[in-house]
C-alpha cells in the first residue's frame, strides 16, 4: 500500500469521513544534479546580489512583492505566517456541481483518497451518492500550508481528489485571439468525412503500458551501461519524511439527519476563510 502523504477527514454536512491522501501520479523525469567534478561533491545555489554580484548573507534577505515596475512592498515573515490559512486537517465540502461543469483547464493534480480508521461505510456512501447523482463535490483543503480548491469524484471503487487552479490562475480562451478562419470556418463535408475515416482507422483502446518517454529511457539505459562498467561516483545525501494525524468518525445516521435538518450548504460560495468544525 502506498504511504499516505496527508491524513484528515472529509467534512460532509455534519459528517466527518476519516481519509488518507495518496499521490495518484509521480514524476518520472530524469534529475540531473550539479556536482563538483574535482571532488564529486554536491553543488548548491549561491545567494548573490544581482546588481553588485556579491554574495549576501541569509539574514540580509527580505521578501518583497513587486507593486509597480521596479518598486516593491516588503512583507515580513510574521506577516506571511499570519496570512497562511489554518491547517484544519479537513477536506471541507461546500457545494456539489454537475461532473461536466468544470472546464479541463482548471484541473491541476490528482490524488487518491482511501478510508481511514473505520471510515469505510460512510466513504462508500459518499462515493455511491456522487456516482448515482452525476455530481462532483467542491471543497477546500490546506496542503503544505497552502489552501487549495478541489473536487472529489468517484473512480471505480475509490474516491479521487483533484486540486483545481483558482479562477485567477486560468487564462481565458479569448487570449488566443482566434481569427475568423477558425471561429467561422466552413468545413468541407468531403474533407470532414475523410478526416473521420482517418480517425477511425487510427482508433484503438487506451493502452498506457505501450507509451514511454524515449528520452528518459535512453538516459536510464546509458546510466545502466556506465554503472555496469564501474563508472559510479559516491555522493552523500539525506532525506526526511513527515506524517499527519487523522480524524475520528461518529454515528452516520444521526449526523445525516442533523445535516438535512440543520445548516444548509451555501451554493456558489466564491471565497473561503477559516471554518469552525460543526462536529468533532
Amino acid at each position: 500500500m502506498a504511504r499516505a502523504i496527508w491524513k484528515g477527514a472529509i467534512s460532509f454536512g455534519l459528517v466527518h469521513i476519516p481519509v488518507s491522501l495518496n499521490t495518484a501520479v509521480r514524476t518520472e523525469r530524469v534529475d540531473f544534479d550539479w556536482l563538483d567534478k574535482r571532488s564529486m561533491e554536491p553543488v548548491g545555489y549561491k545567494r548573490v546580489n544581482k546588481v553588485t554580484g556579491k554574495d549576501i548573507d541569509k539574514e540580509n534577505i527580505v521578501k518583497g512583492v513587486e507593486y509597480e515596475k521596479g518598486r516593491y512592498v516588503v512583507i515580513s515573515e510574521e506577516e506571511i505566517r499570519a496570512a497562511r490559512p489554518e491547517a484544519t486537517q479537513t477536506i471541507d465540502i461546500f457545494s456539489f456541481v454537475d461532473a461536466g461543469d468544470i472546464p479541463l483547464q482548471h484541473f491541476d493534480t490528482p490524488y487518491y483518497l482511501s478510508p481511514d480508521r473505520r471510515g469505510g461505510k460512510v466513504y462508500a456512501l459518499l462515493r455511491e451518492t456522487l456516482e448515482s447523482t452525476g455530481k462532483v463535490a467542491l471543497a477546500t483543503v490546506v496542503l503544505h500550508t497552502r489552501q487549495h480548491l478541489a473536487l472529489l469524484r468517484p473512480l471505480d471503487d475509490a474516491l479521487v481528489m483533484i486540486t483545481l487552479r483558482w479562477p485567477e490562475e486560468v487564462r481565458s480562451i479569448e487570449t488566443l485571439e482566434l481569427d475568423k478562419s477558425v471561429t467561422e470556418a466552413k468545413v468541407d463535408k468531403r474533407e470532414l468525412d475523410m478526416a473521420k475515416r482517418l480517425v477511425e482507422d487510427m482508433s484503438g483502446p487506451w493502452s498506457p503500458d505501450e507509451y514511454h518517454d524515449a528520452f528518459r529511457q535512453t538516459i536510464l539505459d546509458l546510466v545502466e551501461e556506465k554503472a555496469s562498467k564501474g563508472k559510479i561516483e559516491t555522493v552523500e545525501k539525506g532525506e526526511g519524511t513527515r506524517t499527519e494525524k487523522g480524524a475520528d468518525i461518529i454515528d452516520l445516521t444521526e449526523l445525516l439527519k442533523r445535516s438535512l435538518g440543520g445548516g444548509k450548504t451555501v451554493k456558489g460560495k466564491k471565497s473561503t476563510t477559516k471554518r469552525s468544525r460543526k462536529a468533532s
Side-chain angles (χ1 to χ4, degrees):
M1 180 180 292
R3 178 180 296 177
I5 63 170
W6 181 93
K7 288 190 176 184
I10 300 171
S11 179
F12 177 35
L14 297 181
V15 179
H16 277 206
I17 309 171
V19 291
S20 298
L21 192 70
N22 302 272
T23 55
V25 295
R26 61 187 178 193
T27 300
E28 292 291 351
R29 293 189 294 269
V30 179
D31 291 327
F32 294 97
D33 294 330
W34 287 7
L35 305 172
D36 186 331
K37 70 177 182 180
R38 299 165 298 179
S39 61
M40 284 298 114
E41 295 171 341
V43 176
Y45 294 96
K46 297 180 67 176
R47 298 182 179 90
V48 178
N49 185 311
K50 292 184 179 181
V51 176
T52 65
K54 295 181 179 180
D55 293 349
I56 182 170
D57 295 331
K58 183 178 180 180
E59 55 266 23
N60 290 324
I61 297 176
V62 295
K63 295 181 179 180
V65 177
E66 190 171 31
Y67 180 70
E68 296 173 344
K69 186 68 174 178
R71 302 180 66 200
Y72 288 79
V73 173
V74 174
I75 305 295
S76 70
E77 290 294 339
E78 291 76 13
E79 290 170 322
I80 293 174
R81 283 194 294 270
R84 293 194 189 282
E86 181 184 359
T88 60
Q89 292 303 113
T90 56
I91 301 170
D92 290 310
I93 295 175
F94 62 84
S95 184
F96 295 88
V97 299
D98 290 336
D101 281 357
I102 304 175
L104 293 178
Q105 61 267 36
H106 285 259
F107 286 31
D108 194 355
T109 306
Y111 296 90
Y112 293 133
L113 286 169
S114 57
D116 192 36
R117 301 178 63 182
R118 305 181 307 280
K121 181 179 179 180
V122 66
Y123 175 96
L125 171 65
L126 178 57
R127 182 201 64 210
E128 291 302 310
T129 302
L130 294 175
E131 182 72 45
S132 61
T133 59
K135 302 283 187 180
V136 296
L138 288 180
T140 57
V141 60
V142 177
L143 300 175
H144 308 300
T145 73
R146 183 186 174 191
Q147 188 178 52
H148 296 268
L149 183 65
L151 69 81
L152 277 65
R153 67 184 308 158
L155 178 64
D156 297 332
D157 291 331
L159 283 170
V160 295
M161 183 184 82
I162 303 174
T163 56
L164 302 173
R165 296 179 177 89
W166 295 102
E168 57 268 24
E169 296 178 312
V170 180
R171 292 181 176 177
S172 169
I173 201 168
E174 278 78 19
T175 59
L176 294 177
E177 297 181 353
L178 301 174
D179 60 30
K180 291 184 179 181
S181 66
V182 176
T183 59
E184 299 180 10
K186 295 181 180 179
V187 180
D188 182 82
K189 184 179 183 303
R190 183 174 62 87
E191 294 174 338
L192 181 59
D193 289 340
M194 287 192 295
K196 287 181 178 179
R197 286 200 301 271
L198 178 60
V199 170
E200 292 172 358
D201 291 343
M202 296 179 66
S203 295
W206 165 245
S207 305
D209 292 339
E210 298 179 5
Y211 317 134
H212 301 282
D213 181 344
F215 171 77
R216 174 178 176 271
Q217 191 59 52
T218 300
I219 295 297
L220 292 180
D221 291 343
L222 184 59
V223 169
E224 189 67 31
E225 179 186 349
K226 288 193 171 188
S228 67
K229 296 177 180 178
K231 298 180 179 180
I232 302 177
E233 305 291 345
T234 301
V235 178
E236 295 295 332
K237 289 187 177 181
E239 293 181 314
T241 58
R242 180 183 175 185
T243 58
E244 305 278 3
K245 290 185 177 180
D248 292 321
I249 185 171
I250 58 179
D251 183 71
L252 171 60
T253 305
E254 176 61 25
L255 287 176
L256 287 173
K257 288 180 179 178
R258 287 163 56 189
S259 296
L260 290 172
K264 296 181 179 178
T265 299
V266 180
K267 294 185 177 180
K269 183 176 180 181
K270 295 183 180 179
S271 63
T272 55
T273 56
K274 298 178 182 178
R275 297 164 58 93
S276 59
R277 293 178 62 177
K278 296 180 181 178
S280 62

